[in-house]
Each structure stands twice: as C-alpha cells, then as structure tokens.
C-alpha cells in the first residue's frame, strides 16, 4: 500500500520530525518527502509518500493522523491512495487540438485518469468523442439559459462522480455556481502569458503590441476571470514575420503542452494552492 | 566599400526589382537582402547590404537613390557605411550588472561602439567607469531640477555627438524633451515580460501573482512609459521555491542578456520601427 | 496563381536582380524573397514567392526560367504551384504519440497534406488508422524478408504517388534501396539531441551520462544512420529527480513537436539541403 | 547559528526520521529539507538546513552526528557553517568573457566568495585582474614544463587555502596530479552541449554538423576529458544564417551564464556527486 499525503499548516518547529515519526510508528517507509516554507505568509507545505508493508484501513489512518498530528499543528491535509484513477470531465467548445492531445495521452496510458464524459456547448467535436468511444453531452449555453445549462453540467458532474474538470478551450465563462462546488478542481488553459492579455482575443492583442514571445497559462479557475492560481506556463518566440494566424498556430502547440502538463501535475497530486498561488512539488 | 540600406515604403509591385537594378547600375554586388511585408498596414520593409569595388562618394549615392528610387516609391530610407562605430552613451543609476555586461563586451571588442561617457544620477558607479577609463558625469535628478538636469544631459549628448543612448537600469523616467531629440535612439531595459507588470517593482508584482516564468524586455523609449516598440524579450522559469530576491537575482541575468542583444541589433542596423512595433532583420 | 521557387547555385553577382527582373517580365509580383549565401561553400540559396494575375501554363514558365536564368547561373531549382497538397505516407511501429499528433493536425486542417496510407511492421496501431479512416498496411519486417518488405513498401509508395514519407518512430533502419528513390523526402524523428546519443536507446544513454537537458532531432534520412541533414531540434530540462521513464515521457512531447515542425517546414517548401545541412527559410 | 548538512548513504527505512529526531535533540529547527533516492543505485541523498538558537561547538556536533547517526547508516556526510565565504581561484587563458562575468558578480556581492588569485598561462588578462584589484599569477605551461607548472599551481592553491577552482575557459588539460588534490572541487565550462562535441573546437564541429541548437556544459573535472559529472547545461537556437563566428559569439553568452550558475550551485552547497552524476538540490 502506498499513500501520498499533502499538508499545509502554520510554520513552526518540529513538524517534519513529528510527521516522520508518526509514519514510522505506522510501520511506513517514506519514499518521497518535499517541503516548502512560505516565509512571508508563515506557512509550511509538505508532500510525502510512504509505502506500508501491511494494508492499513485508510479510515483508521486518517483518524489517527487527525488526532495525533493534524489537530496539534492546525494542519489542512489530504491523503490519496496510490492507484486510484481520478475521474476527469473535459469541457470543450469548437477547437479540437487540446482535446485530441488529452485523448491521445489518455489512450496510450500516459494520462492515468478515467474520462466519464466530454461536454460541449456545440456539436462540432462530437465526432472526436466518438473516435475514442467516450460519451458526449451537448449542453448549449446562451445568455438566457446559462443558469439551467450550469444546473445540467452540475448534475452530470455529480452523477458521474467527477473528481476534476478540464476546460480544454471551453470558451465560456464558468460561474461561481459551478466553481464553488469544485474549488481548485477546475483547470483552464488561457492562451496568453498571464497576467498579460487577460480576457478575449489575447493573440490579437499580443500581435498588436508587437511582443517577441507569446505564451500560454494553465490555472485553477476562480471567480476572478483569468486570475486564478497559475499551475504551469510556457512560451514560444515570435517575430515580425508572423501574422496573427501564425501566433494562433504556434499558440496551439503551447496550449496543448501547457494544459497537459498542468493536468498531469494535478493527477499526480503535486499541486497545492495557497493565497491564490500554487506550490508545485517536484 | 560596403553599404547597409534600410527602406520602408507603401507596398507595391516592383520595389525589389527596382532596388536591385539600381544597385547593379552602381556596380554594386548585393551580399544580403531581407524583406518583409506588413500586409495589414500595407507597408514594405527591406534591409540590403551591397559591396562596391569602387569607392563611391556617399553623397552622390544618396542623391541618386533619392531621385531615382525613393521619390518614386515614397520611401523612408537610411544608408550606413560599414565600419563606422556609433557613439553610445550609457545612463545608469545604482545597479551595476547591465553596465558591467556592456563594458566587458565593449572591452573585448564584442560590442563595436565608442562610449564617450557614462552618466548617472548617483555617484555609486563612478568606480566602474574608472575601471574602464570612461568619462563619468554625475547629473543628480530631483523633482525640482528635472528640467535643468535634462538640459545638461542633452548638452552632453550633443557635445559628444552621441548616436544613441542605452538606459542600463537608469530608474528615472526620461521626458519627451529628451526623447524627441533621440527618437528610436534610446534603448531601455524593463525588468518584466512586457506588457505584464509595467511600471515600478515588476518582480514584486510577478511574485505576488505567482507566475511560473519571469521575463525582461528591451524597447525603444517613447513618451508612453514602458510601451515603446519591443526589440527583444527573454524569460526564465521560476517556482514557488523562489523568493522575491531570487526573482531579482534571476532577473539580473535576463536583463543583462536582453539589453545586450537589443544593443547589438541596433548597432548592426537590424532594427526598423513602424506602428510602435519593430521589424528585426536576421 | 501563386508560385514558390527554390534555387541554389554558385554564388556570383547579379542573381537577385536577374531573377526579380525575370519575374517582372512574366508580370509577377514578388510577395516573399529570402536569400542566403554560404560563404565557405560559395553557394547562393533563394526562396521566392510570386503572385501572377494571369494564369501561366506552368510548363512554359519552367521552360523559360530554365533557358533564360537557370542555364546561365547553373541553378538547381524547383517550382511549386500553391495549393497542391503533397501526399504524405506515415511509417510507424508500436508507439502512437507521434502518429496521433500528426493525425490530429491533419484532421483539423493544420497540416495541409493528403495521407494515402499508414504503414507499419506491427499491427498495434491499426486501430488509430481506423479512428481516422486512413488505409493501413501491415508489412512485417524480419532479417530474412527485409528486401521483399522494402519492395512492398516501394510498390505502395509508387502506387499511391507518395511525395514524401514520415517515419513517426518507425524503429526500423531504412535501406538505401528506399532512400535513393526518395532522397530528402524521408523525414525521421530521432529521440536525442543529435549528434549526442546516436543509435538505439538514447534516453538510457542520456540518463547514464547524467545530462541536464534532453532533446529530439528531426532530419532527412540518408544512408548514414542518424547522420542526415537536421531540420529541427528542441530540448527540455531534466534533473536527478527524473528516472529513465521520466526522460522517455518528457521526450515524447519533444518528439511530437519537433517532428510536426519539421513536417510543416517540408510541406511549406521552406527547406533546402546542401552539403548534408539544411537551409530553413523564414 | 545555521548549518547545512549534505548526506548520502545506502537507502533504507528510517533515515529521515532519525536525522530529524537528532536535529530536534540538538534543539535545532529544520528550515529546509530535500531528499532524493536513486532507486537503481540504492542510494539515499539528503540536504538539510537547520537553525540553532544556541551556539553549538561545531566539533561536538560533528562527533555526535558521526557517532549517533553516520555510523549506523554508513553515511558519507559534510556540514557547512552558514556565512563562510569559500575561497575560489580562477584559472584563465586568453578569453575574458567568463572572467568578467564572474568578477562583476563577485564585485556586486552576487557571488559570495573570496578570490585569492587569478592564474593564467598567458599574460593577456592581467589587466582584468588589475581592474578588480585581485592578485594575478602568470604560470606558463608548455609540454616540457607541465609538471613543474602544476607543482607551482598546487603550491599557490595550498598557500592560499583555496577551497575550489574555476576553469573560466582555461584551455589547458588539468592532470590527475591536480585533480586528485581537489576532487569535485574543480569546475570547468565546456563550450558544447556534452556529450556532443567533446574535445577541441566544438563550435566548428557543431557548424559542420549543421545543428540547429548549440550548448554549453559546466562539469566537475575528472581524469576523463570532458566526461566529469555535469552540473549545468543550457542551449541557444542557431540557424543556417549563422557562421562559425556567430556560433562562437552566441556561445560566449551560454558559457558565461552556465558557468556562473554552476559556481553559484557549488557555493550554495547544493551539489552532490555520485556515480559520475550530480544531484542538484533546489
């Protein structure tokens, strides 16, 4: 049995020793430990993986960890059993490049998730879902029906016990009604190097400004548009020889790779959020 | 004799043929030609280098180029005689890393300029000027004396027949009074990936936002703060493990390299400005 | 009508002027011109695009270009009519990541080719071909049958009038028998930063050496294994925390992107080969 | 008082718990802990920093750590007292770019070392040493006098109690006589992306091969030329438009930055060597 534990708590002396001693008492062997202290905020973060020769009841482990450690150090913490494949829903609109990228990784086993469904406000990408034999739901969104559409989305997410949602160029603003049910569980890809060029048409804005580098940013969705905690960013060089369409074409490659890296980090439980920033463990 | 010619004019058929034919008539051999068309703006850009076996009087060449070509195509153009070392003034404040970088390149012959003087609003870096035997002028700038200080700067620039100015972390806003005398001749280094984090303290703002990549941008100075035509940008990865001071330290390397590349491009006559953007020839 | 012309010839005075004058005489308007001189080798390279208001018979154009220009300057040259989609065959083995990447770009129109067939020495990826409705040929290769297998490959390539071949992690050495029929028409992806780690198992070798950066290289296939003209390379940072399997996973992203960029450059007629090196036009 | 401890030992259960408990017993507070397990080799690596409110006699700490921990786990370990500035000798030949880079960082306090002397087999860079007021020793090296020259080098290193040596483009092969006295204490910069282009004239070889990316590598010097443990690598894009001299000029920037990063990592005690590879802590 292998557990991954994520902890954050007010920084103080003795946390690492206490946690490692607790794991030892449970007859676990620590195979990974990384920690970080945000000195400004006075917060301690830790990610720890431990193997146990004996099968422990997870509930017992959780209760003892809470009583013997978490209460004392005021820890917020989570534990994950190795081997569980999280259920990932994918929301798309009309662009297929990020969707194809995710599905080909899923298909080859590179991305260790289950995909209960793909959802879109348009029918354009239904054929891609069919290529990969994944259920597809068409939920149109208009100004008028936005509330009902989001009710439908929430119903589907809950019915399929979805763990997290990937907005693979979904192109719609997700309202707090949905975000609040999946805090730090909705991953978006924005097609600029945030915080530059927030909002719509970032490639056009980048072209207009005459930048020499474009970027893409994957972040957890919060109520503030394009302002959530950044998980991953990458960039590519451009020059005066590139048109807006060249920016868009180069950007597709950035979007693919940045989104898939962010999803991989989330699935591997390597991300923690604090103060609208992320800690990304190695 | 070798000439470098930079041209821009309204796009139309026949420009390349006309220019190459003109050079041929002057018994020149074209050793480099690069061109670019901004289709949105309808503007044609060209950089051409030609060798001439015979010495031509440059004035005659200019007059004939103007009469036979430039008038017909409404060209804005410039010609540079190979081998001339432009005179570069360096303005600094208290940080020495960009200054050292420029001076060590100058000293090793990597940067082909003359440096008539270094100017600063502080005395801190006078010792660096002395290390490299370059005149140093201390021109303090306060809210009260800004106009007189800029008069002093302009007098020095003109007395020394300076061709262009490098703001190597000068930390003062240069007013239009100076900019207008040296349009597209003042190169600044801004310590962020513009247009993100314009203005003061960009590393602090980047840290606050939790970005995963920081950058630096070199641009020609215009009346709009940090909004002039971008010459060069570069970036470096950062993570949650880096403090603001780590951002600043990593940023120093970006600033050094981005500023020196921009200066090299300017010195090599590879930059053209149009519509607040640059064309950077290869 | 729009033509793309690629030229190389011994360097000498007057080439650009002669070509642009010829295009003018044919009532063409040059919309792109880039040139390069390899001074060591004394060779001139040019890529030129021209629009013609009138439809010219391509045969007539070719004959006149040959007689009036190419003979005089000893040019090797090619001309391509805009809009023709080259026929690209894809050879694969068992890895699907490069294949999926190419097919999703093909499917979205990003990659402007026809794909008459996918060929493999294994049946593993037949299902991918089926997902995208592309014919799949299973041509097993063993030590014993290699000659016949390559005869079968050549027959398929010729029957389908294939223009170029992409080895998308084909894992078999292609013999001169095939290469000689498609010189500079077979594009391979090698999973290292060539010339480091030529041959088999480059990620294992890179891990063993303890490098901090891994790479991928796309090149035209020649009779010398992994030694053909390099079209495109890219790299990614690695560290001691990465296992060989992590190298392989990170490498997959490099392979995808480097191969697709090389294919795009080839399709756009932006590559020329000389002295086992490439000129890649902008 | 702050200590940095570096440990490696055979991997086994309980190491982290034992070390953190020991630190706790000494009334230390752990402010940084990073660990790594090389599963193939079965080796555990740890870097730990701890603050102590009370001043401990370092000798007592060392003895107790050895007796209570190191013996039990067969640890190889080192401890460093924070604030000590290591003494760094710089060996150069005729190129000044890496030397200027190191000295300007040293001068601005960015590089926290003492530099007792600069040594060269040529007199060319004596003036740089004078600019920065650092003693300069001219030790010519010829085939005939190599043994005596290295004796002189060793005498200088020992007389000045040098902690480590930086070969800032020294261009001479250092023999085992010197290396064996400073194992993993001599840092070299090689002007290629090792293991590609080992030995002399790597930029010429890279140009000949037609690579699209060049690199630089900093490594600890071992008896095998250019084959020691790699500390840091970086790369830059090149194209057919670049001559060998352009490769060399671009390479200078890589050499500067890669060497200075490696020196910074060494000074910060973030490097460990095992099996001819490095572990680089964050």
């Amino acid at each position: 049995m292998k557990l991954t534990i994520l902890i954050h708590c007010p920084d103080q002396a003795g946390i690492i020793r206490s946690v490692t001693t607790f794991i030892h008492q449970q007859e676990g062997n620590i195979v990974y430990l990384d920690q970080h202290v945000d000195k400004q905020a006075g917060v301690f973060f830790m990610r720890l993986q431990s193997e146990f020769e004996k099968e422990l009841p997870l509930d017992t482990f959780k209760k003892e960890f809470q009583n013997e450690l978490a209460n004392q150090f005021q820890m917020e913490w989570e534990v994950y059993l190795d081997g569980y494949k999280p259920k990932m829903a994918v929301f798309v609109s009309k662009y297929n490049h990020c969707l194809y990228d995710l599905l080909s990784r899923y298909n080859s086993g590179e991305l260790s998730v289950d995909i209960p469904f793909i959802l879109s406000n348009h029918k354009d990408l239904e054929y891609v879902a069919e290529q990969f034999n994944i259920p597809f739901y068409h939920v149109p969104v208009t100004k008028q029906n936005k509330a009902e559409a989001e009710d439908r989305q929430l119903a589907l997410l809950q019915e399929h016990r979805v763990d997290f949602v990937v907005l693979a160029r979904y192109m719609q603003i997700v309202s707090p009604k949905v975000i609040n049910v999946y805090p730090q569980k909705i991953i978006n890809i924005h097609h600029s190097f945030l915080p530059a060029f927030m909002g719509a048409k970032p490639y056009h804005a980048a072209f207009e400004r005459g930048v020499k580098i474009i970027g893409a940013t994957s972040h957890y969705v919060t109520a503030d548009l394009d302002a959530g905690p950044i998980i991953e960013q990458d960039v590519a060089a451009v020059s005066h020889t590139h048109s807006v369409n060249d920016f868009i074409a180069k950007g597709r490659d950035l979007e693919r790779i940045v989104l898939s890296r962010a999803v991989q980090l989330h699935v591997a439980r390597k991300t923690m959020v604090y103060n609208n920033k992320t800690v990304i463990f190695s």
Side-chain angles (χ1 to χ4, degrees), chain A residues 183-244:
Chain A
Q184 297 154 26
K185 304 281 184 199
I186 306 177
I187 298 173
N188 185 42
I189 178 71
H190 183 76
H191 39 319
S192 86
F193 182 74
L194 288 175
F197 311 123
M198 296 167 71
K201 299 232 168 210
Y203 292 127
H204 290 77
F207 180 80
E208 199 57 41
R209 179 62 186 92
V211 296
K212 299 302 184 188
I213 292 177
I214 56 169
T217 304
S218 191
H219 62 94
Y220 287 116
V221 174
T222 60
D224 282 345
L225 183 66
D226 298 335
I230 294 171
I231 306 169
E232 175 77 9
Q233 301 189 291
D234 207 348
V235 295
V238 290
S239 78
H240 67 274
T241 65
H242 296 106
S243 64
V244 172

Side-chain angles (χ1 to χ4, degrees), chain A residues 23 41 44 47 69 89 95 97 144 162 182 208 216 229 244 256:
Chain A
I23 297 294
F44 173 90
R47 181 173 183 267
L69 278 177
Y95 297 118
H97 56 285
Q144 286 71 40
V162 162
Y182 293 92
E208 199 57 41
V244 172
R256 270 186 264 252

Side-chain angles (χ1 to χ4, degrees), chain A residues 2-274:
Chain A
K2 187 174 170 186
L3 298 180
T4 300
I5 303 171
L6 294 173
I7 299 167
H8 71 87
C9 62
D11 189 29
Q12 57 192 291
I15 306 173
I16 298 176
R17 183 185 51 86
S18 300
V19 174
T20 56
T21 300
F22 176 83
I23 297 294
H24 180 70
Q25 286 162 351
Q26 306 285 332
E27 295 178 46
N29 182 28
I30 296 167
V31 294
Y32 168 94
L33 187 159
D34 195 4
Q35 54 83 44
H36 169 64
V37 176
D38 181 332
K39 283 184 186 158
Q40 256 188 337
V43 179
F44 173 90
F45 300 87
M46 187 157 86
R47 181 173 183 267
L48 179 144
Q49 290 186 310
S50 179
E51 291 173 353
F52 299 85
E53 291 201 14
K54 296 193 287 194
E55 290 293 308
L56 294 176
L58 196 57
D59 281 352
T60 312
F61 181 89
K62 282 184 183 177
K63 203 189 293 174
E64 293 186 6
F65 191 97
Q66 183 64 42
N67 291 337
E68 296 182 25
L69 278 177
N71 290 344
Q72 176 189 352
F73 291 101
Q74 299 168 263
M75 289 174 177
E76 311 246 345
W77 69 287
E78 291 169 4
V79 61
Y80 300 97
L81 192 58
D82 224 51
Y84 172 74
K85 282 192 185 184
K87 293 184 204 316
M88 170 178 102
V90 185
F91 284 22
V92 294
S93 191
K94 293 182 169 183
Y95 297 118
N96 68 15
H97 56 285
C98 285
L99 180 60
Y100 263 129
D101 189 72
L102 290 169
L103 294 183
S104 68
R105 290 171 198 272
Y106 160 72
N107 202 41
S108 65
E110 188 179 324
L111 186 56
S112 185
V113 296
D114 285 330
I115 303 183
F117 65 86
I118 295 164
L119 181 151
S120 180
N121 54 331
H122 295 286
K123 284 203 156 182
D124 301 57
L125 300 185
E126 187 164 15
Y127 79 99
V128 181
E130 282 169 6
Q131 279 180 311
F132 289 84
N133 277 315
I134 295 170
F136 179 89
Y137 295 106
H138 176 218
V139 181
V141 179
T142 62
K143 271 191 190 166
Q144 286 71 40
N145 83 342
K146 178 134 187 167
E148 301 95 277
E150 294 204 331
D151 286 341
R152 174 84 174 113
Q153 292 172 5
L154 281 170
L156 284 166
L157 293 171
Q158 281 157 9
E159 174 190 329
H160 290 275
R161 299 169 176 272
V162 162
D163 290 299
F164 72 106
V165 181
V166 176
L167 309 183
R169 300 298 312 274
Y170 175 53
M171 309 296 281
Q172 292 285 322
I173 293 174
V174 176
S175 80
K177 187 201 272 189
V178 177
I179 297 169
N180 292 340
V181 183
Y182 293 92
Q184 297 154 26
K185 304 281 184 199
I186 306 177
I187 298 173
N188 185 42
I189 178 71
H190 183 76
H191 39 319
S192 86
F193 182 74
L194 288 175
F197 311 123
M198 296 167 71
K201 299 232 168 210
Y203 292 127
H204 290 77
F207 180 80
E208 199 57 41
R209 179 62 186 92
V211 296
K212 299 302 184 188
I213 292 177
I214 56 169
T217 304
S218 191
H219 62 94
Y220 287 116
V221 174
T222 60
D224 282 345
L225 183 66
D226 298 335
I230 294 171
I231 306 169
E232 175 77 9
Q233 301 189 291
D234 207 348
V235 295
V238 290
S239 78
H240 67 274
T241 65
H242 296 106
S243 64
V244 172
N245 284 336
D246 295 331
F247 278 35
I248 291 170
K250 274 178 165 273
R252 276 195 295 261
D253 282 344
L254 288 175
E255 296 161 27
R256 270 186 264 252
I257 206 89
V258 169
L259 179 59
S260 93
R261 280 189 209 141
V263 171
Q264 292 279 24
L265 289 168
H266 182 86
V267 167
R269 317 294 184 191
K270 292 190 171 176
T271 65
M272 291 188 76
V273 172
Y274 190 81

